[in-house]
């Protein structure tokens, strides 16, 4: 047994011996789908050919040739192929757990994955070597090589060892086994005092080298990482019935509940006492980014909606009257928590005098923001489910949208009481959906570094686009007047979109794109455009908005 441990050093860490249970190579044609299959054994899945979407426990991944996935027992799998041919290898394992009792080794079967890897995509270096090793193991499993019964388990161990040594972080930095040992120590002993010297010693590095290596690999310092582990563990315990803050504080290494509460609020923005009952809170929003729409899509209707950003087209006296009215409504609603965006920082003191208030900083993308909101109200599962539904809907709608629009250019316009706004080409969730995810073609009406540009009705540039999608932000007479004035200009009447009847009214896509339900509505409106264009091929203006 010692010799085996030396040959496969990862066994010493996990005290588990993986054994090959079965392998198969699956090849399917177009329209290949997998719906709601549950994995019963630890598995690896390698995509050899094709591309599509793969959902593991409602988390969606892009699947393409060379992608390797870890499937732990209990994982629910859904998949849809985009290509005409899909081919992949499935490797199923059994795990024998080894334990030394009074000098003797005892073995018990286990359904756990033999290594501490999470369900999802496994990033590795040398992808082609991974493919070669798995294909070679498959040939051995099929009995095409001599002594295959002896060599298959040896090849499996070598494969897992190779993957373990060549894993990559999310930032594509190589996973360092020394750092992983220190992280295992953090997880195991987080309830105790852990020093930088201890962690560096475990990793076999000096404290300064350890700190530099850790930050390069994980994007944060060891201290911040340990704090995140402690907060994540605390969050799990806070969702349990009859939990006690003092006990949780001690179990995750914060010593007392006051220090724990301070660190928790620094990290999440709300106190642990609020987090404990997050799925029962009366929540209000203070946002111009549609936070109330995010919460509604998660099944939670805010008790009040506050929108305090100044609109240049609103009279100042009318604006002040509206703010006072909204604050009165907010007080009457008596929320337990107010969630706002960074545009409402000027109102923070007044908001927090009504209820605990959290103002979210700008998120990297719409998904991060939506997931953050979902966590604050205890609806992460609903958010993941909506993400999955959206991805599969995009998958199904994509071919018809690309077939209809093809290489035609599209442009987005918003009409207000005073201005005509054109959507630019900058990084924005709406642009990402239309041009990156759906593959539609953007009309170059504005310089690439401009997000949106405003024009008066009679000063718009030539609308050199094949399709024009128009959102009317207001239906007041002033807005209708601006629209009529614009339609009298040469820039409008010379537009290819206008000449060919490809002008379409739309909802507020600029706001809808920040949550899954809104993005689904955008997809539905695009599909509706196709349907109505077929029904009314000679219409000059098709109205689909509300």
């Amino acid at each position: 047994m010692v010799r085996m441990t030396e040959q496969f050093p990862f066994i010493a860490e996990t005290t588990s011996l993986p054994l090959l249970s079965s392998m198969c190579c699956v090849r399917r044609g177009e329209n290949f789908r997998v719906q709601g299959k549950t994995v019963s054994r630890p598995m690896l899945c390698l995509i050899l050919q094709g591309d599509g979407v793969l959902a593991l426990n409602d988390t969606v991944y892009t699947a393409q040739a060379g992608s390797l996935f870890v499937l732990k027992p209990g994982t629910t799998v859904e998949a849809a192929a985009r290509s005409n041919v899909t081919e992949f290898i499935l490797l199923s394992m059994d795990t024998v757990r080894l334990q030394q009792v009074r000098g003797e080794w005892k073995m018990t079967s286990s359904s756990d994955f033999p290594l501490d890897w999470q369900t999802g995509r496994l990033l590795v270096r040398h992808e082609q070597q991974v493919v070669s090793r798995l294909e070679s193991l498959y040939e051995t499993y099929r009995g095409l090589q001599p002594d295959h019964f002896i060599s298959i388990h040896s090849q499996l161990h070598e494969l897992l060892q190779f993957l373990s040594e060549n894993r990559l972080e999310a930032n594509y930095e190589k996973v360092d086994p020394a750092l992983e040992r220190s992280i295992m120590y953090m997880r195991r002993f987080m309830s105790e005092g852990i020093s930088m010297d201890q962690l560096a010693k475990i990793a076999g590095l000096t404290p300064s080298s350890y700190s530099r290596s850790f930050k390069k690999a994980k994007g944060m310092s060891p201290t911040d990482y340990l704090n995140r582990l402690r907060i994540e563990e605390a969050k799990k315990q806070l969702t349990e019935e009859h939990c006690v803050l003092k006990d949780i504080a001690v179990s995750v290494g914060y010593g007392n509940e006051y220090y724990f509460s301070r660190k928790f609020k620094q990290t999440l923005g709300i106190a642990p006492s609020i987090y404990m009952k997050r799925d029962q809170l009366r929540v209000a929003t203070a946002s111009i980014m549609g936070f109330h729409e995010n919460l509604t899509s998660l099944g939670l209707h805010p008790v009040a909606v506050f929108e305090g950003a100044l609109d240049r087209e609103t009279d100042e006296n009318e604006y002040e009257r509206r703010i006072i009215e909204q604050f009165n409504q907010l007080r009457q609603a008596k929320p337990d928590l107010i969630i706002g965006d960074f545009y409402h920082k000027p109102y923070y003191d007044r908001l927090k005098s009504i209820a605990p208030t959290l103002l979210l900083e700008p998120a990297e993308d719409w998904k991060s923001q939506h997931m953050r909101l979902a966590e604050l109200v205890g609806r992460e599962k609903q958010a993941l489910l909506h993400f999955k539904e959206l991805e599969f809907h995009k998958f199904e709608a994509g071919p018809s949208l690309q077939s209809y629009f093809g290489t035609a250019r599209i442009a987005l316009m918003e009409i207000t009481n005073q201005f005509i706004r054109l959507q630019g080409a900058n990084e924005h969730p709406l642009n990402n959906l239309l041009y990156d995810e759906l593959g539609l073609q953007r009309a170059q009406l504005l310089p690439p570094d401009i997000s949106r540009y405003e024009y008066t009705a009679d000063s718009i540039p030539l609308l050199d686009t094949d399709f024009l999608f128009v959102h009317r932000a207001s239906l007041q007479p002033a807005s209708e007047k601006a629209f009529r004035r614009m339609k009298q200009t040469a820039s409008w009447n010379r537009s290819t979109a206008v000449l060919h009847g490809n002008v379409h009214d739309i909802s507020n896509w600029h706001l809808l794109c920040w949550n899954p339900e809104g993005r689904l509505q955008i997809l539905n409106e695009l599909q509706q455009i196709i349907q109505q264009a077929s029904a009314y091929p000679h219409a000059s203006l098709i109205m689909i908005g509300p």
Side-chain angles (χ1 to χ4, degrees):
M1 186 61 66
V2 173
R3 182 172 56 83
M4 184 180 294
T5 302
E6 291 172 350
Q7 186 177 359
F8 309 119
F10 59 87
I11 295 176
E13 296 179 7
T14 63
T15 66
S16 297
L17 178 65
L19 300 175
L20 183 61
S21 174
S22 64
M23 287 188 78
C24 62
C25 184
V26 180
R27 184 181 176 89
R28 294 289 185 268
E30 60 182 346
N31 301 321
F32 172 62
R33 298 291 295 261
V34 176
Q35 294 182 326
K37 297 290 185 180
T38 301
V39 174
S40 59
R41 284 191 174 97
M43 299 182 76
L44 292 175
C45 175
L46 174 68
I47 311 298
L48 296 176
Q49 185 178 352
D51 68 285
V53 290
L54 176 65
L56 304 177
N57 294 334
D58 292 337
T59 298
V60 181
Y61 303 88
T62 298
Q64 55 191 12
S67 299
L68 179 65
F69 295 92
V70 172
L71 285 68
K72 300 179 79 169
T75 299
T76 301
V77 180
E78 294 183 60
R82 185 178 289 109
S83 50
N84 293 330
V85 176
T86 301
E87 186 176 13
F88 55 93
I89 290 177
L90 284 175
L91 183 157
S92 175
M93 291 172 277
D94 288 317
T95 304
V96 174
R97 188 164 298 280
L98 307 175
Q99 186 177 14
Q100 194 172 29
V101 180
R102 297 176 183 175
E104 295 183 359
W105 287 97
K106 294 190 175 182
M107 295 188 297
T108 56
S109 61
S110 171
S111 61
D112 294 337
F113 200 87
L115 293 166
D116 188 23
W117 299 343
Q118 299 304 311
T119 292
R121 183 168 181 194
L122 187 67
L123 297 175
V124 292
R125 297 187 302 169
H126 313 305
E127 283 189 357
Q128 192 53 49
Q129 288 192 44
V130 175
V131 173
S132 298
R133 285 173 179 267
L134 266 163
E135 288 180 332
S136 176
L137 177 56
Y138 179 61
E139 294 302 313
T140 304
Y141 173 78
R142 293 175 62 199
L144 301 182
Q145 296 181 9
D147 301 324
H148 66 282
F149 288 111
I150 299 174
S151 63
I152 54 174
H153 299 302
S154 176
Q155 284 190 46
L156 173 63
H157 298 157
E158 291 172 0
L159 170 67
L160 294 177
Q161 184 71 30
F162 180 83
L163 295 176
S164 182
E165 292 174 351
N166 289 279
R167 282 192 303 142
L168 297 175
E169 303 281 3
N171 61 1
Y172 291 91
E173 287 287 333
K174 184 179 180 298
V175 172
D176 188 335
L179 298 183
E180 293 300 303
R181 286 197 301 271
S182 71
I183 291 173
M184 289 175 64
Y185 184 88
M186 291 182 193
R187 293 182 187 277
R188 185 174 179 182
F189 298 104
M190 69 170 64
S191 62
E192 303 176 9
I194 298 177
S195 69
M196 183 71 70
D197 288 344
Q198 283 177 296
L199 296 173
K201 185 176 180 180
I202 291 167
L205 299 169
T206 65
S208 58
S209 295
Y210 173 72
S211 183
R212 284 195 304 271
S213 299
F214 197 101
K215 189 165 187 177
K216 183 179 179 182
K218 301 297 182 181
M220 65 183 74
S221 70
T223 302
D224 289 341
Y225 193 90
L226 175 58
N227 181 64
R228 191 179 74 172
L229 290 179
R230 285 171 164 162
I231 294 299
E232 288 300 317
E233 177 59 29
K235 284 158 58 176
K236 294 176 185 177
Q237 295 186 32
L238 285 167
T239 60
E240 298 174 359
E241 291 187 22
H242 312 301
C243 59
V244 179
L245 287 183
K246 182 179 179 181
D247 295 340
I248 295 174
V250 172
S251 71
V252 297
Y254 284 119
N256 64 76
E257 61 182 290
Y258 305 106
Y259 180 57
F260 164 60
S261 295
R262 182 157 60 87
K263 296 296 290 185
F264 191 94
K265 189 171 183 179
Q266 284 178 356
T267 304
L268 266 74
I270 58 174
S273 56
I274 294 178
Y275 191 89
M276 290 170 65
K277 52 185 179 182
R278 61 196 176 119
D279 58 346
Q280 305 167 22
L281 296 175
R282 292 169 52 82
V283 179
T285 62
S287 168
I288 65 169
M289 300 181 68
F291 283 3
H292 61 289
E293 298 285 358
N294 291 82
L295 296 183
T296 300
S297 73
L298 293 167
L300 176 67
H301 297 279
V303 296
V305 176
F306 183 92
E307 294 183 2
L310 177 62
D311 185 346
R312 290 182 302 154
E313 299 185 10
T314 302
D315 176 76
E316 189 171 334
N317 292 330
E318 170 62 20
Y319 170 74
E320 287 297 330
R321 185 199 64 77
R322 191 181 69 188
I323 292 297
I324 292 172
E325 181 180 342
Q326 288 188 95
F327 267 115
N328 288 335
Q329 292 173 349
L330 199 56
R331 291 188 187 92
Q332 292 172 8
K334 298 180 179 179
D336 300 313
L337 176 67
I338 300 172
I339 305 175
D341 59 31
F342 60 96
Y343 293 108
H344 285 72
K345 284 184 178 179
Y347 300 101
Y348 178 71
D349 289 337
R350 294 171 69 181
L351 291 170
K352 74 175 184 179
S353 70
I354 298 173
T357 299
L358 172 61
L359 299 184
L360 301 184
E361 292 297 323
E364 294 180 0
D365 57 59
W366 73 272
K367 279 188 176 181
S368 299
Q369 178 171 284
H370 188 69
M371 201 66 195
R372 181 82 170 93
L373 290 164
E375 181 189 17
L376 290 171
V377 296
R379 286 166 170 78
E380 298 97 318
K381 289 183 179 179
Q382 291 93 321
L384 288 174
L385 180 61
H386 293 161
F387 289 159
K388 183 188 73 174
E389 291 173 347
L390 174 62
E391 289 300 322
F392 279 92
H393 193 93
K394 281 193 306 183
F395 176 84
E396 293 170 353
S400 63
L401 294 177
Q402 291 170 10
S403 174
Y404 178 76
F405 290 103
T407 59
R409 301 157 301 161
I410 70 172
L412 304 178
M413 173 185 287
E414 182 178 62
I415 303 174
T416 71
N417 288 336
Q418 297 181 20
F419 300 105
I420 308 297
R421 293 173 180 157
L422 292 177
Q423 175 82 6
N426 69 320
E427 191 73 16
H428 188 277
L430 180 54
N431 290 339
N432 293 340
L433 173 63
L434 296 176
Y435 310 121
D436 298 334
E437 298 174 22
L438 297 178
L440 304 183
Q441 303 301 309
R442 180 187 3 241
Q444 301 296 333
L445 302 183
L446 298 175
D449 58 337
I450 294 179
S451 58
R452 285 204 293 181
Y453 201 84
E454 294 180 342
Y455 300 89
T456 57
D458 50 8
S459 67
I460 61 169
L462 176 64
L463 301 173
D464 187 17
T465 182
D466 301 301
F467 285 85
L468 182 62
F469 300 146
V470 180
H471 168 238
R472 303 193 192 193
S474 170
L475 296 179
Q476 294 182 8
S479 175
E480 291 298 315
K481 183 178 179 181
F483 192 20
R484 288 196 300 270
R485 284 172 54 202
M486 179 182 64
K487 290 171 67 176
Q488 295 172 359
T489 65
S491 296
W492 173 271
N493 288 294
R494 291 177 183 173
S495 169
T496 302
V498 174
L499 293 173
H500 290 84
N502 289 327
V503 180
H504 304 274
D505 262 7
I506 60 172
S507 302
N508 188 355
W509 288 6
H510 204 266
L511 185 63
L512 289 173
C513 66
W514 286 94
N515 69 80
E517 195 171 83
R519 292 170 87 88
L520 277 174
Q521 183 174 336
I522 293 172
L523 286 172
N524 290 335
E525 290 189 16
L526 284 168
Q527 291 178 298
Q528 201 172 344
I529 286 172
I530 297 175
Q531 295 168 2
Q532 293 193 2
S534 300
Y536 307 102
H538 303 297
S540 61
L541 180 64
I542 299 177
M543 307 289 288
I544 70 168

